[in-house]
Amino acid sequence: MKDSTRRLPSITEAIIYLTLIIGVIIAGLWLIGARNGGAPMSLFLGAIISTLIALFLHNKWKDIQNEMIKVISDSLVAVIIIMIVGMTIGVWMIGGTIPALIYYGLKVCTPGNMLPLTFILCAFASTFTGTSFGTMATMGLALVGVGLGLGMPPHIVAGAAVAGAYFGDKMSPMSDTTNMAPAMSGTTLYEHIFSMLYTTVPATVVCLIIYALIGNQYASGVMDDSNIVIISEGLRAKFSITPFALIPALLVLVIAAFKIPAILGLGVCFIISVIFAMILQGAGFVPIIQTAFSGFKSETGVNIVDTLLNRGGLRMVQDTVCLILLACLMGGALNQSGILNVFAEKGVLKVAKKPFQLVLGTMVYCYSILLLSGNQVLGIILGGRTFQEAYKEMDVHPKVLSRTLEDTNTIASALVPWSTASIYACSVMGVSIAYIPYAFLGFIVPIFTVLLAFTGYGMWRSDGTPMWGKKAKKQN
């Protein structure tokens, strides 16, 4: 490269380049396939195109590489947490923690409370494990089976399961997106979770009311507990089911409540989970560590039980880690090229002059990327890198940005029919995309996001002071 001066693209060029990059990613997802490495390889192609564009705009390779390393560095804490989570889930499987969650959860289902309980049980499961995919494939799958026995439409039960699963994916300190959003926004994990309570809690209450009203129509249904019996007996045959097995999962809530640094807290949780697995299930130390790496392999002979339990381990999260690192490469190249700054400053930020408009602009930007790519990780990374400086300049705390990223990208990812999340949900729970209208949380949370931005309630300045009140009205 010649030592030439860096050139910033025009707004027209920025839109063309961004459209080209997203188009390459979408083409890769469709051609390669979501289950054949389509997501990471598409992001790799996007990183290549982004780098070529940055070079074309006279950026030095050394500067591009340094920006890539900086973005990866910002994400390393999230990557480490995700790796610990994968290992912990494997230990929770062999230690009987997740089997106990499923076992006790299935004991309380009736036709009348099926939908609210499906939401609650999946919310608990995903909060404890930090994975919406894992929850849909375990608790979600089991509850759809129970719902069939109760005479309930499977797509309605699946919708409640997806909504509950994404509650935890959004709120759990063990979730990859919950760690990634603050990392990309410049805030801390627990500030981020606290901020999300303002939109997620009221939306959850509304969801439960709606599910209760819908479930009431099936309250007179005849109970068929055959699936519950099959799953329960299969779990009891394989594990020592005891309430004590739930203690490692409850530690996650303790970690969050006391705001213990995530890596330290989850590391301690992993160690305690290993001890509990040895005591409660009589598992040897070596098999436990092997399971923490490779995941749990269930061989009960009961297909539905084995389907529920075969997961966890470091290998389970390797695709996610790979996805994050490749997305960071692309994000670094995009940052250095100036495309994101130009797009934000001359596009969204040119219109957004107040915090309310800034939040709306962030939402539109994130929804656009999600609809185009079907990838929630991409929207979080690009959204965070694009708007971080704008929130600082407008004196809005970065936890508002991180919350907005999750209130859009994460919570709505399973609502896009062509997204990886939606395809996965249909596959593991055996339903069609007819579940989407019943995944109410993804539709209701953004409503509260807009309300908070408009009123100033649940909004903070950069120094942490609240925006609501008389000053907020003037500013918003």
Side-chain angles (χ1 to χ4, degrees):
M1 283 292 297
K2 294 182 179 180
D3 193 18
S4 52
T5 305
R6 177 192 182 200
R7 179 175 72 83
L8 287 176
S10 65
I11 181 62
T12 302
E13 287 179 307
I15 293 173
I16 292 173
Y17 292 148
L18 197 58
T19 303
L20 173 62
I21 294 166
I22 294 175
V24 168
I25 293 171
I26 295 172
L29 286 170
W30 280 102
L31 292 173
I32 302 172
R35 293 192 173 187
N36 299 314
M41 294 312 299
S42 296
L43 285 178
F44 181 60
L45 293 174
I48 292 175
I49 300 298
S50 301
T51 302
L52 292 175
I53 291 172
L55 292 172
F56 177 74
L57 292 171
H58 299 172
N59 289 276
K60 297 179 182 178
W61 166 248
K62 183 179 179 180
D63 293 334
I64 298 171
Q65 178 177 273
N66 288 341
E67 186 64 23
M68 288 177 173
I69 293 172
K70 181 181 181 298
V71 176
I72 290 174
S73 177
D74 291 341
S75 304
L76 281 181
V77 171
V79 169
I80 293 170
I81 290 171
I82 291 166
M83 292 169 68
I84 297 174
V85 167
M87 293 187 289
T88 302
I89 291 175
V91 176
W92 281 3
M93 283 295 186
I94 195 172
T97 298
I98 292 180
L101 278 170
I102 296 173
Y103 179 86
Y104 290 119
L106 295 179
K107 291 295 182 183
V108 295
C109 290
T110 65
N113 66 20
M114 183 70 207
L115 290 180
L117 270 179
T118 295
F119 178 89
I120 292 170
L121 292 173
C122 287
F124 269 105
S126 59
T127 300
F128 288 135
T129 61
T131 166
S132 56
F133 278 30
T135 298
M136 289 187 290
T138 52
M139 187 66 80
L141 173 61
L143 290 168
V144 168
V146 174
L148 281 170
L150 300 177
M152 303 189 70
H155 62 277
I156 298 180
V157 180
V162 168
Y166 273 89
F167 173 95
D169 196 332
K170 185 176 187 291
M171 299 298 296
S172 173
M174 299 181 73
S175 168
D176 53 358
T177 58
T178 309
N179 284 279
M180 199 182 310
M184 291 297 104
S185 305
T187 187
T188 66
L189 172 63
Y190 294 113
E191 283 182 323
H192 171 56
I193 292 175
F194 174 78
S195 176
M196 290 194 295
L197 291 174
Y198 282 79
T199 56
T200 309
V201 170
T204 297
V205 173
V206 175
C207 282
L208 289 173
I209 292 172
I210 296 174
Y211 286 131
L213 292 173
I214 296 175
N216 188 56
Q217 302 174 24
Y218 300 90
S220 60
V222 179
M223 184 81 167
D224 177 3
D225 61 355
S226 58
N227 282 328
I228 297 178
V229 172
I230 292 172
I231 296 170
S232 299
E233 290 181 349
L235 293 174
R236 276 209 167 275
K238 183 70 177 179
F239 301 94
S240 173
I241 302 294
T242 167
F244 291 108
L246 301 177
I247 292 177
L250 294 173
L251 283 177
V252 175
L253 299 182
V254 175
I255 290 169
F258 286 92
K259 297 184 177 180
I260 300 171
I263 293 177
L264 174 63
L266 293 175
V268 171
C269 182
F270 173 79
I271 295 171
I272 293 175
S273 298
V274 170
I275 295 172
F276 269 75
M278 295 173 69
I279 295 173
L280 297 179
Q281 307 301 329
F285 179 75
V286 173
I288 292 174
I289 297 304
Q290 289 174 335
T291 301
F293 175 72
S294 300
F296 185 71
K297 301 294 185 293
S298 177
E299 298 175 349
T300 64
V302 182
N303 184 59
I304 189 170
V305 174
D306 291 338
T307 302
L308 291 173
L309 301 181
N310 283 329
R311 56 200 72 254
L314 192 59
R315 285 182 174 173
M316 183 189 74
V317 299
Q318 63 185 7
D319 288 348
T320 301
V321 171
C322 180
L323 199 67
I324 293 172
L325 295 178
L326 290 171
C328 287
L329 292 180
M330 185 178 70
L334 281 171
N335 274 354
Q336 187 59 36
S337 70
I339 293 174
L340 297 181
N341 289 336
V342 169
F343 185 81
E345 292 173 5
K346 296 184 179 180
V348 176
L349 298 180
K350 192 173 183 180
V351 177
K353 301 299 182 182
K354 299 178 180 179
F356 170 64
Q357 296 168 337
L358 182 59
V359 171
L360 284 183
T362 305
M363 294 176 72
V364 171
Y365 179 87
C366 290
Y367 279 133
S368 299
I369 292 178
L370 182 60
L371 288 170
L372 287 170
S373 69
N375 189 302
Q376 67 188 52
V377 173
L378 183 63
I380 289 174
I381 291 176
L382 292 184
R385 306 308 297 185
T386 300
F387 290 98
Q388 187 177 140
E389 288 301 320
Y391 277 72
K392 287 181 182 178
E393 291 176 7
M394 207 169 287
D395 193 29
V396 181
H397 199 284
K399 64 185 176 183
V400 176
L401 170 58
S402 63
R403 177 180 70 196
T404 306
L405 295 179
E406 289 242 63
D407 286 354
T408 50
N409 294 293
T410 301
I411 207 74
S413 60
L415 306 182
V416 179
W418 51 87
S419 70
T420 303
S422 179
I423 294 170
Y424 179 86
C426 293
S427 175
V428 298
M429 290 189 288
V431 296
S432 70
I433 58 172
Y435 79 83
I436 291 177
Y438 298 93
F440 295 119
L441 194 69
F443 298 103
I444 297 173
V445 165
I447 296 174
F448 284 96
T449 308
V450 174
L451 286 174
L452 293 188
F454 181 74
T455 61
Y457 181 76
M459 298 277 287
W460 300 269
R461 297 183 179 87
S462 297
D463 60 3
T465 57
M467 284 187 176
W468 59 86
K470 295 181 179 179
K471 293 182 180 179
K473 290 180 181 178
K474 292 180 180 179
Q475 188 175 9
N476 280 294

